[in-house]
């Protein structure tokens, strides 16, 4: 695969996606997006009540993120996106969009040459106990620790032919960033 123009830092809630993604974007000089900032209020309310999101909740949100990735990549901007992207189909939507209405992603530049989002997936992985401990220490986030098990249950670990690396969160932040930077060389 050609050099990526977008990095997806993915994993369950509490895996460190936002922290790693923001630092990585800063190191690379790329634009950073935290997918949590794009959840509609209904999704946030559901999660605050301890209700796990389903595909119907997630797909319009993922389409919005796809449109952002496409827009930035089309303009020559490299992007780091922190997003749970727990299922393979979710990662596919981030790359390719979704065709079936009413959940259709924006058709920006439809008549122009299609924009290819070349994505490297960075999967931050760790044990339930380690990540649960992190969530319990986190304050002011709409995702309650009680939903962590549902995220582990939903998680489909990236696999071939996806372009991905997997990094255990028991490493320190500088080791995680160094591993990703080395992969990009």
């Amino acid at each position: 695969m050609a050099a990526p123009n977008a990095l997806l830092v993915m994993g369950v809630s509490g895996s460190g996606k936002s922290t790693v993604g923001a630092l990585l974007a800063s190191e690379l000089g790329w634009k950073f997006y935290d997918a949590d900032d794009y959840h509609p209020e209904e999704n946030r309310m559901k999660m605050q009540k301890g209700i796990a999101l389903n595909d119907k909740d997630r797909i319009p949100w993922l389409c919005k993120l796809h449109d952002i990735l496409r827009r930035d990549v089309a303009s020559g901007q490299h992007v780091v996106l922190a997003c749970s992207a727990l299922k393979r189909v979710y990662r596919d939507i981030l790359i390719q969009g979704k065709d079936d209405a009413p959940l259709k992603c924006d058709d920006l530049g439809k008549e122009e040459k299609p924009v290819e989002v070349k994505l490297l997936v960075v999967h931050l992985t760790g044990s339930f106990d380690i990540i649960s401990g992190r969530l319990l220490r986190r304050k002011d986030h709409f995702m309650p620790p009680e939903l962590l098990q549902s995220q582990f249950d939903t998680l489909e670990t990236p696999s071939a032919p996806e372009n991905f690396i997997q990094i255990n969160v028991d490493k320190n932040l500088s080791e995680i960033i160094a591993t990703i930077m080395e992969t990009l060389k």
Side-chain angles (χ1 to χ4, degrees):
M1 178 182 194
N5 50 25
L7 295 178
L8 167 64
V9 181
M10 66 153 291
V12 296
S13 184
S15 60
K17 300 178 295 290
S18 299
T19 302
V20 169
L23 185 55
L24 194 57
S26 176
E27 291 271 326
L28 292 166
W30 292 13
K31 186 147 186 180
F32 174 68
Y33 292 99
D34 189 329
D36 284 348
D37 297 339
Y38 295 87
H39 267 299
E41 191 57 33
E42 307 82 63
N43 286 8
R44 290 173 182 267
M45 297 297 287
K46 272 184 96 167
M47 288 184 277
Q48 283 174 340
K49 292 176 184 171
I51 302 168
L53 299 181
N54 59 37
D55 287 356
K56 189 176 176 211
D57 300 318
R58 287 186 180 110
I59 289 173
W61 168 68
L62 292 163
C63 284
K64 180 185 242 180
L65 295 169
H66 162 76
D67 294 339
I68 291 167
L69 287 177
R70 238 178 95 191
R71 179 197 66 211
D72 281 16
V73 166
S75 72
Q77 175 68 59
H78 285 64
V79 178
V80 176
L81 172 66
C83 178
S84 53
L86 297 172
K87 290 184 180 181
R88 168 83 184 261
V89 68
Y90 300 166
R91 297 185 293 273
D92 288 344
I93 289 169
L94 288 172
I95 297 168
Q96 301 159 354
K98 181 151 180 63
D99 296 326
D100 48 339
L103 305 172
K104 190 172 174 61
C105 295
D106 190 12
D107 279 335
L108 291 173
K110 191 174 177 181
E111 62 287 335
E112 300 165 16
K113 181 177 173 250
V115 174
E116 184 183 0
V117 176
K118 294 183 223 104
L119 192 71
L120 172 64
V121 176
V122 177
H123 178 207
L124 300 178
T125 184
S127 72
F128 181 88
D129 289 341
I130 287 173
I131 293 175
S132 177
R134 288 172 161 207
L135 277 181
L136 291 171
R137 290 187 300 275
R138 186 162 76 176
K139 303 289 180 235
D140 300 326
H141 195 276
F142 58 83
M143 176 73 176
E146 300 79 44
L147 287 180
L148 181 60
Q149 186 60 56
S150 72
Q151 292 220 322
F152 271 94
D153 294 344
T154 301
L155 178 64
E156 294 172 6
T157 303
S159 60
E162 289 181 278
N163 184 30
F164 74 97
I165 60 171
Q166 190 164 297
I167 303 173
N168 198 303
V169 299
D170 62 3
K171 296 181 186 306
N172 69 43
L173 190 54
S174 60
E175 288 177 303
I176 291 171
I177 298 298
T179 302
I180 299 166
M181 297 297 280
E182 186 60 34
T183 301
L184 292 172
K185 287 184 179 175

